[in-house]
Amino acid sequence: MVHDLFTPSIQHTLDLVGIFVFAISGSLLAVRKNLDVFGIVVLAEATALGGGILRDIVIGAVPPAAFTDLGYFLTPLIAAVLVFFLHPQVERINWAVNVFDAAGLGLFCVTGTTKAYSYGLGLTSSAALGVATAVGGGVLRDVIANEVPSLVRWDRDLYAVPAMAGATLVALCIRFSTLNAVTSGTAVVAAFVLRLLAMHFHWRAPRSWNRRTATVEVEQHVE
């Protein structure tokens, strides 16, 4: 059964790892936006916990895990403190942060899908909620920081697509009764690698087919 795939301790560890790396990315954005310490903590918590809270509310797992386990709140706080004091050093290893963020994306899209299915959702809905778990915190982070969410910006490397790939693989494995530690790990790696490739080669989603050229748009804006 899906709910037997991860033991509670393994599920908890995977959640904390993903929460920590997402909190780092939220804290770094807060520093770049010149926010104070409270703003850094808020963005860290929102980025790390937003997707999981959304998932738990949708599936009826209330109160959400983020409100019943102190570790879920303390982990982003630790990340925020590290960035607050060491952000120049963290910025210098930003490539590593991006790698860990990609790993968190892979973890959350898989664990989010499996948890949604174990609560009775269909395969398509479970996969969609797995994607929401992976990207929801980032969207909330950008909204709070008064930015257009990276998820919908054409000039950002693919982010949701890798999560969709990972969640879809999990749904297919559930459909054909092949979901186990190996196949779920494969889905995590697939989403992780696809995200890394998107960052390396700057893969982006296409825009509308008959879209006007940027030159025309700029000219009309000036007029």
Side-chain angles (χ1 to χ4, degrees):
M1 295 296 292
V2 172
H3 59 271
D4 296 325
L5 180 60
F6 300 113
T7 65
S9 61
I10 292 178
Q11 177 75 51
H12 189 258
T13 300
L14 292 176
D15 282 345
L16 290 182
V17 171
I19 284 170
F20 182 79
V21 296
F22 281 159
I24 289 289
S25 69
S27 300
L28 285 175
L29 177 60
V31 171
R32 293 173 189 142
K33 300 288 284 188
N34 201 30
L35 302 185
D36 61 16
V37 62
F38 181 74
I40 294 174
V41 171
V42 167
L43 281 195
E45 296 282 353
T47 308
L49 303 177
I53 291 174
L54 171 64
R55 174 202 63 205
D56 288 349
I57 290 175
V58 171
I59 64 179
V62 293
F67 293 98
T68 59
D69 188 325
L70 186 60
Y72 283 75
F73 270 114
L74 291 181
T75 300
L77 184 60
I78 292 171
V81 170
L82 286 175
V83 172
F84 180 79
F85 288 105
L86 302 173
H87 65 86
Q89 291 82 353
V90 177
E91 286 280 11
R92 281 199 291 270
I93 59 168
N94 192 52
W95 63 271
V97 173
N98 288 333
V99 169
F100 283 117
D101 183 81
L105 182 80
L107 285 170
F108 273 23
C109 72
V110 171
T111 59
T113 302
T114 56
K115 185 171 183 178
Y117 186 78
S118 69
Y119 272 77
L121 268 66
L123 291 177
T124 301
S125 299
S126 296
L129 199 51
V131 175
T133 304
V135 305
V139 172
L140 184 58
R141 172 201 64 202
D142 292 342
V143 170
I144 294 175
N146 197 31
E147 289 198 348
V148 176
S150 299
L151 184 69
V152 295
R153 289 183 56 172
W154 72 269
D155 58 340
R156 297 297 174 89
D157 303 330
L158 294 178
Y159 195 77
V161 171
M164 292 171 61
T168 300
L169 285 175
V170 172
L172 289 174
C173 288
I174 295 173
R175 171 65 178 82
F176 295 104
S177 302
T178 58
L179 187 66
N180 52 46
V182 174
T183 54
S184 62
T186 301
V188 172
V189 171
F192 172 65
V193 171
L194 185 56
R195 171 59 179 161
L196 291 183
L197 290 174
M199 290 190 295
H200 180 74
F201 294 105
H202 301 297
W203 291 342
R204 294 166 183 170
R207 287 184 285 176
S208 59
W209 184 256
N210 291 317
R211 178 181 166 276
R212 293 175 297 175
T213 64
T215 302
V216 172
E217 289 178 349
V218 170
E219 290 176 351
Q220 291 181 346
H221 178 71
V222 172
E223 293 175 356

